[in-house]
Amino acid sequence: MQSRSNSAQRIMLSDPSPRTPQRSCSQTPLLKRTPSRATLSISQSSKKRRRFSIQTFDFETTELGAPPASEVAVEETDADRFLAVRGSTMLPLNTTPRTNRIAKSFGLVDDRVLNCGETSATPAQTKVRSILRRCASELFDTPRTISAISAKSNLAVRKQFVMALDGPGISLNLFASPMAWSHSNCIGVAFKLNVYFQNLDTRVIVRLCGVPVIDGVVHSVDWGGITNQHILALGTTCGVVQAWDSLAQKQIVDWSDDDSPVGGIHWNGDLLGVGRKDGRVSLFDIRAPKQVQQVEGHRRHVIGAKWSPDGRYLATGDQSGSVHVWDIRAKDYVTVNDRKVLMKHEGPVKAISWAPWQSGLLATGGLFPDGKIQLWNIHKPNASLTIPTDTNVTALHWSPHCKEILSTHGLSWEPWHVIRRAEPPAKQAPRTSFSNSMTVHAYPSCDKIVSVHAHSAPIGHACIGPDGCSVFTVSPVEETIKMFKVWSAPVGKGKDDGGMSHKCAIR
């Protein structure tokens, strides 16, 4: 039986003459499967380059165990798998009256298929479609609004100074703090041996006091807080510390028993903290002038001192770059996990500022060769943020209204200056975006918001106004003092323009 079937198969395949088909199972002709439209649509629309085989089925050879016929490879295109695309070679499709009726009802006569291109539309339809697309894009792409309090809405819009004053004779010492702004809206400035102040509301300039030549040059000044807003303290390069009443224009206290030169000074209510050149920090109480406390811990000149807003902590920075934080109630270092809180810079630290809206958040800035701004929390000293500037950081001020910090800068330098550990030359120093600038950064992203070249020479010091919106900068080389509007206060808080209702320049 098997031999007869094989012989019949060979005769059928080799004989080209037509024969009448018989009903015998052994003489069944070869049946070839015709691909349908659905098969071609799927095979031509997949992104993956798969291979489908249209195999010739032979029931007789399948029964007899003969090898399958050769495969016909159909390669797919890289088209979208859900949108049928006309291929480069269209295979003939076997259609029936039923498929023609269905194609006609769907508008697919004449072998038309879907494609990725848009159909022709009238100008009116195109215009409506574009309007709808634009409206939808505006819904999903809403621009971020800029706060009216931020420096981006104030200093970035108007970069010019609001007021300018002459400042001849201001100390050229980079460690000096020769200017301060009181809560009564008075600006006090030290000019060599004299201290002047101006009431920004009345515009009256008054010479408050002067010191003898033997007492040295006035190095730093600072106004008392809200409780003592009319009291100004000064310190000289020979160790003299005095407190003056600006209203009565008379001296209140004279602490001249110590001959160690003064560094940074700052008021905390009735308590005045004064840094010394030998590394000590003297604490003077205006209520008990004869009782002076000493805090020791630094080894170099303490050039920066700043009390926290709650009056509990005192941060000090010295000439070697060490920053200590003191607990005034314990009269000792602040410790975390039995370790004292210590921040280290590669250069002297004069610029120190506490954030008024977050407890323990402290910003410190280093001079040459450090040139960095460190943002750190005294409760988590290991988690700190760094803003490199390669420029002297002379002052830092947090905004009380938003999470932004302002820094003032002097000279810039290149890496070779740091390697050689030499002072950067004043005339050949490179100029960068931070040189002689006033720059505002966002917290905690540390992104630069705006940078303004406030002076043509290095900025030596800066102070923030009582409204928390305006900042005074001083350039000893340029002998100029300028006021800038940096932030805006929320509605109903603070004065606009630092109490200045008009804009002018005094020369």
Side-chain angles (χ1 to χ4, degrees):
M1 180 66 181
Q2 183 175 2
S3 60
R4 290 181 181 180
S5 299
N6 292 336
S7 60
Q9 181 182 4
R10 287 195 298 271
I11 293 173
M12 185 179 297
L13 294 175
S14 59
D15 190 2
S17 60
R19 296 179 180 271
T20 303
Q22 299 181 5
R23 297 182 181 274
S24 173
C25 181
S26 61
Q27 296 180 357
T28 303
L30 294 175
L31 299 179
K32 187 174 182 180
R33 183 179 179 182
T34 303
S36 64
R37 179 185 293 268
T39 305
L40 291 178
S41 299
I42 296 175
S43 63
Q44 294 180 2
S45 63
S46 176
K47 287 185 177 181
K48 298 181 180 179
R49 304 182 64 88
R50 296 172 295 182
R51 297 180 65 90
F52 283 83
S53 300
I54 302 177
Q55 184 176 354
T56 302
F57 293 92
D58 189 349
F59 296 102
E60 183 177 3
T61 54
T62 303
E63 291 181 359
L64 300 177
S70 60
E71 297 181 351
V72 179
V74 178
E75 186 173 299
E76 295 182 345
T77 60
D78 291 334
D80 193 284
R81 62 183 303 178
F82 299 110
L83 293 177
V85 181
R86 186 184 298 272
S88 58
T89 303
M90 294 299 296
L91 298 179
L93 301 178
N94 294 334
T95 60
T96 62
R98 181 174 178 273
T99 58
N100 287 334
R101 289 194 304 271
I102 297 174
K104 186 177 181 180
S105 63
F106 284 97
L108 298 176
V109 294
D110 299 331
D111 291 338
R112 290 186 299 169
V113 295
L114 298 176
N115 54 51
C116 297
E118 295 183 356
T119 58
S120 59
T122 61
Q125 293 176 344
T126 304
K127 185 176 180 180
V128 173
R129 188 179 301 140
S130 63
I131 294 175
L132 293 175
R133 287 176 178 173
R134 185 170 64 253
C135 294
S137 63
E138 291 178 357
L139 292 175
F140 290 100
D141 189 19
T142 304
R144 186 177 180 180
T145 59
I146 301 175
S147 174
I149 302 174
S150 173
K152 196 169 186 179
S153 301
N154 295 275
L155 183 62
V157 175
R158 189 179 187 276
K159 298 182 179 181
Q160 293 78 15
F161 56 85
V162 177
M163 189 176 80
L165 300 171
D166 284 331
I170 298 178
S171 177
L172 296 174
N173 192 333
L174 193 59
F175 301 157
S177 301
M179 183 176 58
W181 201 341
S182 71
H183 284 269
S184 59
N185 204 24
C186 293
I187 181 75
V189 186
F191 300 98
K192 295 183 179 179
L193 303 176
N194 302 305
V195 177
Y196 289 82
F197 76 92
Q198 181 183 18
N199 190 320
L200 298 179
D201 295 327
T202 62
R203 308 300 300 277
V204 177
I205 299 176
V206 178
R207 178 185 179 273
L208 179 61
C209 63
V211 297
V213 178
I214 194 174
D215 290 339
V217 179
V218 179
H219 184 79
S220 300
V221 296
D222 188 50
W223 290 97
I226 298 177
T227 57
N228 299 313
Q229 54 186 336
H230 298 290
I231 297 178
L232 183 141
L234 63 89
T236 69
T237 55
C238 292
V240 175
V241 178
Q242 298 176 355
W244 287 74
D245 187 344
S246 62
L247 294 179
Q249 298 183 24
K250 66 178 182 179
Q251 180 178 307
I252 301 175
V253 184
D254 185 8
W255 296 290
S256 302
D257 297 335
D258 200 328
D259 59 355
S260 180
V262 173
I265 64 176
H266 193 223
W267 281 99
N268 176 24
D270 295 323
L271 196 63
L272 177 66
V274 179
R276 299 288 188 176
K277 188 174 182 179
D278 56 8
R280 293 179 293 112
V281 178
S282 301
L283 301 178
F284 301 99
D285 195 332
I286 197 174
R287 297 164 299 183
K290 296 183 180 180
Q291 296 181 5
V292 180
Q293 302 179 10
Q294 305 290 342
V295 179
E296 299 180 359
H298 289 279
R299 298 181 180 180
R300 300 289 299 276
H301 191 181
V302 181
I303 59 177
K306 191 71 66 174
W307 291 95
S308 61
D310 58 3
R312 179 178 177 181
Y313 304 109
L314 174 64
T316 55
D318 63 17
Q319 193 173 355
S320 66
S322 299
V323 179
H324 293 298
V325 181
W326 312 88
D327 190 339
I328 189 60
R329 296 181 300 181
K331 298 180 182 179
D332 201 354
Y333 297 105
V334 174
T335 59
V336 176
N337 297 329
D338 296 332
R339 297 183 61 182
K340 68 178 181 179
V341 175
L342 173 67
M343 176 61 68
K344 182 68 176 177
H345 286 261
E346 296 297 327
V349 177
K350 184 186 77 168
I352 301 175
S353 180
W354 293 88
W357 33 261
Q358 181 175 338
S359 177
L361 181 58
L362 182 65
T364 56
L367 301 173
F368 178 84
D370 183 77
K372 298 177 182 178
I373 302 173
Q374 299 281 354
L375 310 177
W376 50 295
N377 195 316
I378 62 173
H379 306 299
K380 300 177 181 178
N382 295 328
S384 62
L385 301 174
T386 303
I387 304 176
T389 65
D390 291 333
T391 310
N392 284 327
V393 183
T394 57
L396 291 170
H397 295 286
W398 289 96
S399 169
H401 310 303
C402 58
K403 293 185 177 181
E404 296 176 358
I405 185 171
L406 177 142
S407 59
T408 58
H409 303 272
L411 293 177
S412 302
W413 56 81
E414 293 179 349
W416 69 268
H417 290 112
V418 179
I419 296 175
R420 297 184 181 183
R421 294 287 176 176
E423 287 291 338
K427 296 182 179 180
Q428 300 179 3
R431 188 176 181 86
T432 66
S433 60
F434 290 98
S435 301
N436 311 332
S437 72
M438 179 173 53
T439 306
V440 181
H441 288 89
Y443 178 83
S445 64
C446 297
D447 295 334
K448 183 189 295 186
I449 298 177
V450 59
S451 183
V452 177
H453 289 281
H455 295 266
S456 60
I459 300 176
H461 191 63
C463 55
I464 191 170
D467 60 352
C469 300
S470 301
V471 172
F472 260 115
T473 60
V474 56
S475 175
V477 177
E478 193 181 70
E479 296 185 345
T480 306
I481 303 171
K482 296 180 180 180
M483 185 177 75
F484 292 85
K485 173 72 178 301
V486 182
W487 298 288
S488 290
V491 179
K493 293 183 179 181
K495 299 179 181 180
D496 194 16
D497 289 341
M500 300 296 298
S501 59
H502 53 280
K503 302 173 183 178
C504 59
I506 301 177
R507 299 301 300 170

